[in-house]
Amino acid sequence: MTDIILETKGLTKHYGGVHALSDADFVLHKGEHVAIMGDNGAGKSTFVRQITGVEQRTSGTIRFDGKEVNFSGPIRAREAGIETVFQTLALADDLNVPDNLFLGREITMCNWLGPFRLLNYRAMRQATLEGLERTAVKIPNINNTIQNMSGGQRQCVAIARTATFPSKLTIMDEPTAALGVQETEQVENIIRTLKKAGDPLILISHNMRQVMDLVDRIVVFRRGRIVANLNRDETDGQDVVAYITGAKTGAEYEGAA
Amino acid sequence: MAESNHGTGGLKFDKKKIGWPNELNIFIALIIIILIFEALGQSLPYMKDQSFLFDTRDRFDSIFNEARLRIIILQVSIIGIIALGVTQVIISGGIDLSSGPLVGASAMIVMSFAQTELVNGGPNPKAVFGEWAFDLPVLIPVIIALAFGALIGAINGSLIAFTRIPPFIATLGMFLICRGIAQAWTRGKPVSFPTEGYAALGSGMMPVYWFIGLAILFHFVLKYTLYGKHTYAIGSNEDAARMSGINVQRHKVMVYMVASMLAAFAAVILSSKNLTAQSGMGIFYELYAIAMAVIGGVSLTGGRGSIIGTVLGAMVFGVIQSGFTYIKLDAYYQLMAMGAIIIGAVVLDKVRQERAALRT
Ligand SMILES: Nc1ncnc2c1ncn2[C@@H]1O[C@H](COP(=O)(O)OP(=O)(O)OP(=O)(O)O)[C@@H](O)[C@H]1O
Ligand SMILES: [Mg+2]
């Protein structure tokens, strides 16, 4: 059991009467890349929000890195080592690339000044350039504000942010949804880099080709429930689609472990 | 660093194309406004070829009409101090309507701790407290002002951050409360006769020096400190700021505290300059301070603006006000014109926003 990095049991989230997520049992092993697929509104993002503490779950347990966890907010999850690219990009439009990369974890000087401590722009800029270099993300001018960037470039910034900081688990919610061919390739390269480094990943994606290319295992959500847990090597696109649309039901589904 | 060919999709980045700061536009606007008033001075029949800002008496020591310049910056600097605080409030995505009445309330309270015992050999006719409050060291009223401002700001900020009342409503309530405090303090009687030390704080050109000093300080704070960065981040995308781990609630409380402390300090300078405090002090100051910031390019939707912009906005404001007097526009029309200018500045900001939104 020691190689399990994340495990949820009976994870449930209700929004008033909406059962967005019901009884999700999910396991992720160290170094494993898992894709979550499912129709719009199937509960994928909801699942991520419960794990990362963006919202408080209705019921269920989450174990991360060997301990049961109750993150009170995304910052706690990040401190524990979960880096997340949320579907709605958490970027500040009026700030530039380094500012966004380091938002909430700025490199500072003269820390005795408390909230008025000084920003170390030079160090953050340097680290940003290195981070972009490492992830091969190309952005014309990092001093540009996010507002002046294309949707794809924004996405790249958000992804570079997760890849710039060391983490125990990376979660990406539809990271390539808005991207062109080149940018998608960049993101996929970042994912391959994570795989090589042995860093586990949860990837939410609607892109079958991408999923088949990148991950070890596919978990399918339907109407708030996990209905399939398929090894990539033992399945194919048609099979997965059948689960997504409900043509095939979770009869063969025997738990995620 | 040479990265101009780091292009996404082969796009090239032209370094020369950036770096036209909005502040430069405001500066140009300032020059144009001055020229307009100059032209009006030359052309309006009743003006007899006067000059607005230049010396017409053919002195050799200066080309400027120094008296008018001095009046403009003096007029602007006290409200300008408030505008510095308002700037960071607006950048954080909020608004503060309570600063004008806060000036009135602070002035009344603070002046009561800055009175002399003897006026022309006799006892102070305006004394508020007993003996113990006479001839206190100047630091005491200043500290009381800052503490009072911090208290009011903390209430504003807490209401906004924790109960999620819109800033407009919360500070509007505080607007009335502060005006009430100002009037209740002495039942409407003015408080006068400060100590020499207190009177020195705002005498002569001191208000201008305070304004410039504080402007430099807050330029630095907004640009180079964590506090400043988080202020921009919250105004830009509050959810992103929260998700990034910034304590948004605590930060908002701080922002409103700083703003109110600046307003209370402006009250010190104003009452010191006038050697008296009246409950009606600071009328319209909250709107003028907001106007200075907005004219200076601070976006009412948050996330954008700068202290340099606000200082320039204050200058524009002062030049317009002084210019109206110069062309002998009636006070009523001045008020109307001021209102139109504020609306104009907001519309301009809106247009700017929409243009930016179109680009993406
Ligand atoms: N804050 C909320 N309040 C009420 N209902 C919500 C809320 N957030 C999500 N839902 C509902 O929960 C369900 C699951 O939403 P979720 O965002 O998890 O879908 P998803 O699988 O990520 O879809 P997509 O592929 O479109 O991103 C949807 O029916 C949605 O309407
Ligand atoms: Mg989603």
Side-chain angles (χ1 to χ4, degrees):
Chain A
M1 283 295 275
T2 45
D3 77 325
I4 290 178
I5 184 77
L6 178 79
E7 179 173 23
T8 70
K9 278 219 169 80
L11 197 59
T12 300
K13 176 68 180 179
H14 296 172
Y15 297 106
V18 182
H19 295 203
L21 186 67
S22 304
D23 233 357
D25 296 337
F26 178 89
V27 167
L28 184 71
H29 301 269
K30 284 186 175 152
E32 192 181 24
H33 281 199
V34 169
I36 295 182
M37 299 193 80
D39 256 342
N40 295 123
K44 307 181 295 295
S45 299
T46 305
F47 180 68
V48 170
R49 285 197 297 268
Q50 310 318 307
I51 295 172
T52 50
V54 175
E55 292 168 354
Q56 295 310 310
R57 58 188 179 271
T58 308
S59 62
T61 58
I62 301 170
R63 286 178 71 81
F64 175 68
D65 204 16
K67 289 181 294 287
E68 192 166 329
V69 291
N70 280 300
F71 300 125
S72 56
I75 179 67
R76 290 284 112 71
R78 197 172 70 190
E79 280 164 5
I82 303 181
E83 285 288 340
T84 311
V85 183
F86 291 101
Q87 190 171 13
T88 48
L89 299 176
L91 298 176
D93 272 358
D94 300 296
L95 302 185
N96 66 17
V97 177
D99 286 350
N100 265 293
L101 245 56
F102 284 90
L103 195 59
R105 49 187 155 191
E106 292 83 356
I107 303 177
T108 55
M109 311 175 281
C110 304
N111 290 338
W112 52 270
L113 286 168
F116 294 97
R117 56 189 185 269
L118 306 183
L119 297 166
N120 189 343
Y121 278 118
R122 184 197 292 260
M124 287 192 277
R125 192 190 151 80
Q126 197 55 43
T128 300
L129 288 173
E130 279 162 18
L132 294 180
E133 186 94 20
R134 198 156 356 102
T135 53
V137 167
K138 289 193 178 66
I139 287 163
N141 174 18
I142 65 167
N143 293 325
N144 218 340
T145 55
I146 297 298
Q147 173 179 237
N148 295 330
M149 294 183 181
S150 75
Q153 290 167 335
R154 291 171 198 218
Q155 199 98 31
C156 287
V157 172
I159 289 157
R161 176 161 64 178
T162 66
T164 306
F165 300 92
S167 64
K168 292 176 183 157
L169 167 62
T170 307
I171 302 178
M172 298 185 187
D173 193 349
E174 301 192 24
T176 59
L179 299 191
V181 180
Q182 267 193 327
E183 285 85 355
T184 302
E185 221 163 82
Q186 279 186 18
V187 172
E188 289 174 356
N189 281 332
I190 294 176
I191 292 173
R192 289 194 186 91
T193 320
L194 289 175
K195 182 74 191 167
K196 258 184 240 137
D199 295 336
L201 170 81
I202 297 176
L203 171 70
I204 299 180
S205 175
H206 289 290
N207 183 332
M208 189 65 69
R209 192 243 352 125
Q210 178 177 70
V211 165
M212 287 296 172
D213 267 6
L214 290 174
V215 304
D216 310 310
R217 190 151 60 85
I218 299 163
V219 171
V220 180
F221 278 58
R222 183 171 165 74
R223 297 189 176 155
R225 293 183 176 277
I226 295 180
V227 294
N229 177 29
L230 313 155
N231 280 324
R232 196 254 331 255
D233 298 332
E234 300 160 9
T235 187
D236 57 45
Q238 262 178 340
D239 198 30
V240 176
V241 169
Y243 281 106
I244 292 174
T245 57
K248 235 169 160 177
T249 55
E252 307 126 82
Y253 170 55
E254 310 138 282
Chain B
M1 235 155 273
E3 62 212 4
S4 39
N5 54 355
H6 264 209
T8 305
L11 279 182
K12 275 233 176 117
F13 165 62
D14 187 353
K15 270 191 180 163
K16 282 181 220 118
K17 278 278 152 67
I18 57 150
W20 182 269
N22 190 29
E23 285 82 359
L24 217 52
N25 291 330
I26 302 156
F27 187 72
I28 292 168
L30 180 62
I31 307 279
I32 292 173
I33 292 167
I34 290 172
L35 291 178
I36 289 175
F37 280 119
E38 283 297 345
L40 283 175
Q42 305 301 318
S43 56
L44 288 177
Y46 58 87
M47 294 296 294
K48 304 195 190 76
D49 288 346
Q50 292 177 47
S51 171
F52 178 42
L53 282 189
F54 296 96
D55 189 20
T56 44
R57 281 167 296 165
D58 284 330
R59 285 183 321 188
F60 293 105
D61 50 345
S62 163
I63 59 160
F64 289 112
N65 182 343
E66 273 169 33
R68 196 188 316 272
L69 275 177
R70 196 173 293 225
I71 288 169
I72 292 176
I73 36 182
L74 254 177
Q75 235 171 11
V76 144
S77 47
I78 288 174
I79 306 179
I81 291 172
I82 303 171
L84 299 177
V86 167
T87 297
Q88 40 122 44
V89 169
I90 300 179
I91 289 174
S92 82
I95 194 90
D96 186 357
L97 295 175
S98 66
S99 55
L102 177 57
V103 166
S106 310
M108 296 298 281
I109 293 172
V110 170
M111 197 61 147
S112 311
F113 294 94
Q115 293 182 296
T116 50
E117 179 161 19
L118 298 175
V119 178
N120 300 326
N124 188 333
K126 301 280 187 199
V128 174
F129 295 125
E131 293 234 348
W132 61 271
F134 288 132
D135 297 311
L136 296 171
V138 63
L139 212 55
I140 289 180
V142 171
I143 288 172
I144 288 172
L146 295 179
F148 181 63
L151 173 71
I152 297 295
I155 297 172
N156 274 342
S158 303
L159 283 173
I160 291 157
F162 296 107
T163 70
R164 305 202 158 220
I165 296 173
F168 184 86
I169 303 298
T171 57
L172 191 61
M174 191 55 81
F175 173 104
L176 293 172
I177 291 171
C178 283
R179 195 55 84 195
I181 293 173
Q183 286 168 358
W185 188 253
T186 57
R187 316 274 149 188
K189 285 185 302 239
V191 185
S192 313
F193 304 114
T195 58
E196 253 174 56
Y198 189 79
L201 287 175
S203 67
M205 292 300 276
M206 283 303 285
V208 178
Y209 302 144
W210 283 116
F211 176 46
I212 294 172
L214 286 167
I216 293 171
L217 176 68
F218 276 90
H219 170 75
F220 189 82
V221 165
L222 282 188
K223 237 181 137 85
Y224 298 105
T225 72
L226 196 68
Y227 174 88
K229 191 59 69 194
H230 288 180
T231 305
Y232 280 98
I234 290 170
S236 182
N237 186 342
E238 192 171 326
D239 288 331
R242 193 174 296 113
M243 287 222 208
S244 305
I246 295 171
N247 189 335
V248 174
Q249 292 177 322
R250 196 187 64 189
H251 193 87
K252 280 190 177 176
V253 175
M254 278 203 291
V255 167
Y256 284 91
M257 279 175 78
V258 168
S260 294
M261 285 166 82
L262 280 166
F265 186 73
V268 169
I269 302 305
L270 181 63
S271 59
S272 157
K273 171 172 169 265
N274 294 357
L275 302 175
T276 182
Q278 280 157 0
S279 61
M281 268 181 164
I283 281 186
F284 287 146
Y285 279 20
E286 67 286 333
L287 298 181
Y288 290 163
I290 293 169
M292 288 175 179
V294 172
I295 292 171
V298 180
S299 168
L300 282 173
T301 47
R304 232 163 325 145
S306 71
I307 291 293
I308 296 178
T310 295
V311 170
L312 286 167
M315 294 309 298
V316 169
F317 187 90
V319 163
I320 291 176
Q321 217 177 27
S322 166
F324 284 160
T325 313
Y326 160 72
I327 59 168
K328 306 195 171 65
L329 194 66
D330 274 339
Y332 332 105
Y333 298 125
Q334 286 197 22
L335 217 52
M336 291 183 215
M338 233 21 168
I341 286 163
I342 294 171
I343 293 172
V346 176
V347 170
L348 200 70
D349 173 52
K350 198 97 195 140
V351 171
R352 235 184 273 142
Q353 297 278 330
E354 261 147 38
R355 262 214 317 238
L358 272 185
R359 236 179 301 149
T360 53

